[in-house]
């Protein structure tokens, strides 16, 4: 293996200093609400790309542009971008009102003493269907606060259960940004990554439910005032989920979801034809930043690879993490560090993808296992970050309702991310690696 060049990683350092440094300044020094997410991440990546373009004068600027074009033009990158856009259309067409309907339906049919478990389960399903943990938390947190207020269940436990369930679904969903990024970055089918990932996530979810059941003590002596709900709108989500599990092409699955969702929205009168088209446009627009970051990271990584940055990282990882199992754990640490720095699990996966792919080739790790490990570790870290969007959105929604709660009162009750960490470590170090060799 080539020795590599540590100086080639300077652009990454520049990005992390700019983004993480300004994020900490805005969030904790200037006390700006959601300050971390007011940092223009695209601008930070452009600055990093500028630094990369100024490095290595032995390579002409025209050659550097050619290298960046090849990186951006990679089949997996193009596929990823198209899936992002199509998923945006689907979310815009279907809308998110059905998410509340699922929660209300479950709360209406399950005994009140299991209300906290219902919140966790509803968040799991809604996030799995919608592909967004933040969107799920935004919708279900007010319901969780109402459950806590009426029942006497601990507010932090209720909110933590929603966040944990949301991370479960976000980790597994076929239309989640993280799934799209991990699968296309590693070149594996979504159904294969789902099956690999499900074996890790399910035990963690079961353990979380058991702990919640033990510590949430209540009675049926309270009544929730539930509004009307319409479960018909959940059909497109079920079709997308089912199509993904049986292995249909992701574009076919999303097209089915878009068509069925559009028909249901128009027939039920939830939106006019004009509003439907406008919502589709808004859904695509919501993916623009993620798509632009993917393009910039692909261009940046192409230059870093050419300069020897990946060779250097691989050498370091081989010295620190020995063997196939060590390499898998190293991938998890790598994407976790990226997530701590960016507070964005999708961006963390996109940044870690190239080096993880090199590691998987080096150690014979299957693409589906690599994609699963990247997605799991990024969700673990993202789910417990005090400055992550998930916790910040949950706190903001709760505060808006007049309740006072902090991230550090919620984190100790985030059982799912911690059980997920235990589960993935067992998956890496204890379960035999035969699956990777068969893939």
């Amino acid at each position: 293996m080539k020795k590599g060049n540590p100086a080639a990683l300077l652009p990454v350092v520049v990005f992390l200093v700019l983004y993480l440094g300004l994020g900490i300044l805005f969030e904790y020094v200037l006390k700006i609400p959601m300050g971390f997410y007011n940092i223009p991440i695209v601008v930070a990546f452009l600055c990093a790309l500028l630094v990369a373009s100024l490095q290595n004068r032995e390579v002409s600027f025209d050659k550097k542009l050619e290298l960046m074009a090849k990186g951006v033009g990679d089949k997996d990158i193009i596929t990823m971008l198209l899936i992002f856009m199509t998923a945006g259309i689907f979310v815009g067409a279907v809308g998110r009102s059905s998410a509340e309907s699922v929660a209300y339906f479950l709360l209406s049919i399950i005994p009140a003493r299991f209300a906290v478990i219902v919140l966790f389960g509803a968040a799991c399903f809604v996030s799995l269907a919608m592909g967004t943990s933040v969107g799920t938390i935004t919708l279900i947190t007010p319901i969780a606060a109402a459950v806590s207020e009426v029942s006497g269940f601990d507010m932090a436990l209720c909110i933590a259960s929603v966040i944990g369930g949301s991370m479960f679904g976000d980790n597994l969903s076929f239309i989640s940004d993280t799934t799209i990024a991990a699968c296309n970055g590693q070149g594996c089918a979504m159904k294969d990554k789902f099956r690999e990932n499900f074996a890790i996530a399910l035990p963690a979810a079961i353990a979380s439910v058991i702990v919640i059941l033990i510590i949430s003590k209540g009675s049926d002596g309270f009544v929730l005032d539930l509004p009307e709900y319409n479960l018909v709108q959940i059909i497109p989500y079920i079709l997308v989920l089912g199509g993904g599990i049986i292995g249909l092409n992701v574009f076919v699955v999303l097209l089915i979801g878009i068509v069925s969702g559009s028909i249901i929205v128009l027939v039920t009168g939830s939106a006019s034809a004009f509003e439907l088209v406008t919502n589709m446009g808004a859904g695509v627009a919501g993916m623009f930043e993620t798509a632009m970051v993917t393009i910039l990271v692909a261009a940046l990584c192409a230059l870093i690879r050419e300069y020897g940055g990946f060779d250097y990282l691989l050498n370091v990882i081989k010295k620190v993490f020995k063997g196939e199992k060590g390499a898998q754990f190293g991938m998890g640490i790598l994407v976790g560090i990226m997530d701590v720095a960016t507070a964005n699990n999708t961006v963390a996966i996109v940044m870690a993808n190239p080096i993880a792919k090199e590691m998987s080739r080096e150690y014979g790790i299957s693409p589906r296992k690599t994609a699963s490990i990247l997605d799991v570790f990024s969700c673990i870290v993202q789910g417990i970050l005090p400055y992550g969007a998930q916790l910040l959105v949950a706190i903001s929604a709760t505060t808006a309702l007049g309740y006072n709660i902090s991230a550090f009162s919620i984190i100790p009750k985030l059982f799912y991310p911690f059980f997920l960490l235990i589960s993935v470590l067992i998956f890496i170090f204890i379960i035999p690696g035969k699956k990777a060799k068969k893939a």
Side-chain angles (χ1 to χ4, degrees):
M1 182 176 290
K2 298 177 182 178
K3 184 177 180 180
N5 178 19
L9 300 174
L10 178 61
V12 177
V13 176
V14 170
F15 166 76
L16 295 179
V17 169
L18 281 174
Y19 191 74
L20 182 59
L22 290 174
I24 292 173
L25 174 66
F26 284 11
E27 187 75 40
Y28 296 106
V29 179
L30 300 180
K31 304 293 184 182
I32 298 174
M34 297 293 288
F36 219 97
Y37 294 89
N38 287 321
I39 308 297
I41 192 170
V42 172
V43 175
F45 270 118
L46 281 172
C47 291
L49 191 59
L50 174 62
V51 172
S53 299
L54 295 175
Q55 285 183 298
N56 198 347
R57 295 189 178 183
E58 295 178 0
V59 180
S60 68
F61 186 66
D62 283 343
K63 178 63 176 178
K64 291 172 182 175
L65 288 175
E66 183 180 332
L67 290 169
M68 287 188 277
K70 288 181 179 178
V72 174
D74 183 84
K75 176 189 172 184
D76 291 333
I77 298 296
I78 298 300
T79 304
M80 193 187 310
L81 294 173
L82 292 175
I83 295 175
F84 280 146
M85 298 301 175
T86 310
I89 295 174
F90 170 72
V91 172
V94 176
R96 297 178 173 178
S97 59
S98 56
E100 293 178 337
S101 296
V102 172
Y104 292 141
F105 171 71
L106 292 176
L107 286 169
S108 68
I109 63 172
I110 297 177
R113 63 178 176 274
F114 301 121
V116 183
I117 295 175
V118 170
L119 291 172
F120 178 81
C124 286
F125 179 82
V126 171
S127 186
L128 185 62
M130 291 174 57
T132 166
S133 56
V134 173
T136 301
I137 292 167
T138 301
L139 291 170
I140 301 185
T141 293
I143 301 173
V147 168
S148 174
E149 178 70 20
V150 173
S151 66
F153 287 124
D154 180 49
M155 178 73 71
L157 177 62
C158 291
I159 303 302
S161 297
V162 172
I163 295 173
S166 298
M167 297 313 297
F168 172 88
D170 189 24
N171 185 205
L172 292 171
S173 175
F174 287 90
I175 58 173
S176 167
D177 292 357
T178 58
T179 296
I180 296 168
C183 290
N184 285 277
Q186 299 305 316
C188 73
M190 290 190 179
K191 65 173 182 177
D192 293 334
K193 182 263 184 186
F194 176 86
R195 291 166 184 166
E196 195 91 5
N197 212 156
F198 190 71
I200 304 172
L202 182 61
I206 293 173
S208 300
V209 168
I210 293 172
V211 172
I212 292 172
L213 183 62
I214 292 172
I215 68 173
S216 63
K217 297 179 180 180
S219 66
D220 292 329
F222 65 92
V223 178
L224 290 170
D225 185 15
L226 301 175
E228 295 183 0
Y229 51 85
N230 184 2
L231 290 179
V232 174
Q233 293 178 341
I234 202 67
I235 293 175
Y237 290 126
I238 295 175
L239 292 176
V240 167
L241 181 60
I245 291 174
I246 64 176
L248 293 180
N249 179 279
V250 64
F251 291 109
V252 174
V253 170
L254 288 172
L255 182 60
I256 292 172
I258 291 168
V259 173
S260 61
S262 300
I263 292 173
I264 290 173
V265 165
L266 293 175
V267 170
T268 59
S270 300
S272 65
F274 175 76
E275 290 171 333
L276 175 62
V277 174
T278 302
N279 291 339
M280 288 181 178
V284 175
M287 292 292 188
F288 282 173
E289 183 176 78
T290 301
M292 186 55 64
V293 166
T294 301
I295 291 171
L296 292 174
V297 170
L300 182 63
C301 287
L303 294 180
I304 293 174
R305 179 185 286 108
E306 177 70 16
Y307 299 164
F310 286 173
D311 290 329
Y312 175 77
L313 269 179
L314 280 171
N315 282 326
V316 171
I317 291 172
K318 284 187 72 175
K319 290 179 181 178
V320 178
F321 302 100
K322 305 294 184 181
E324 179 188 339
K325 295 182 184 298
Q328 293 174 48
F329 184 59
M331 292 176 187
I333 296 296
L334 176 66
V335 76
I337 292 172
M338 294 297 184
D339 197 84
V340 168
T342 62
N344 187 311
N345 47 349
T346 304
V347 174
I349 291 173
V350 171
M351 292 179 70
N353 260 332
I355 189 65
K357 196 166 188 176
E358 297 286 348
M359 292 169 65
S360 66
R361 289 171 179 167
E362 178 75 15
Y363 290 95
I365 303 167
S366 68
R368 67 184 184 185
K369 196 165 193 175
T370 302
S372 181
I373 289 171
L374 290 178
D375 203 344
V376 166
F377 272 94
S378 70
C379 283
I380 290 169
V381 175
Q382 186 68 26
I384 61 176
L385 275 182
Y387 53 88
Q390 287 73 12
L391 273 163
L392 292 178
V393 166
I395 293 168
S396 176
T398 309
T399 303
L401 296 171
Y403 303 103
N404 185 22
I405 193 169
S406 72
F408 298 102
S409 64
I410 297 173
I411 290 174
K413 294 168 184 176
L414 284 168
F415 306 119
Y416 176 72
F418 294 113
F419 280 127
L420 186 61
L421 176 60
I422 296 171
S423 183
V424 73
L425 291 178
I426 293 173
F427 176 77
I428 291 173
F429 291 107
I430 297 179
I431 296 178
K434 294 181 179 178
K435 294 180 181 178
K437 296 177 181 178
K438 289 181 180 178

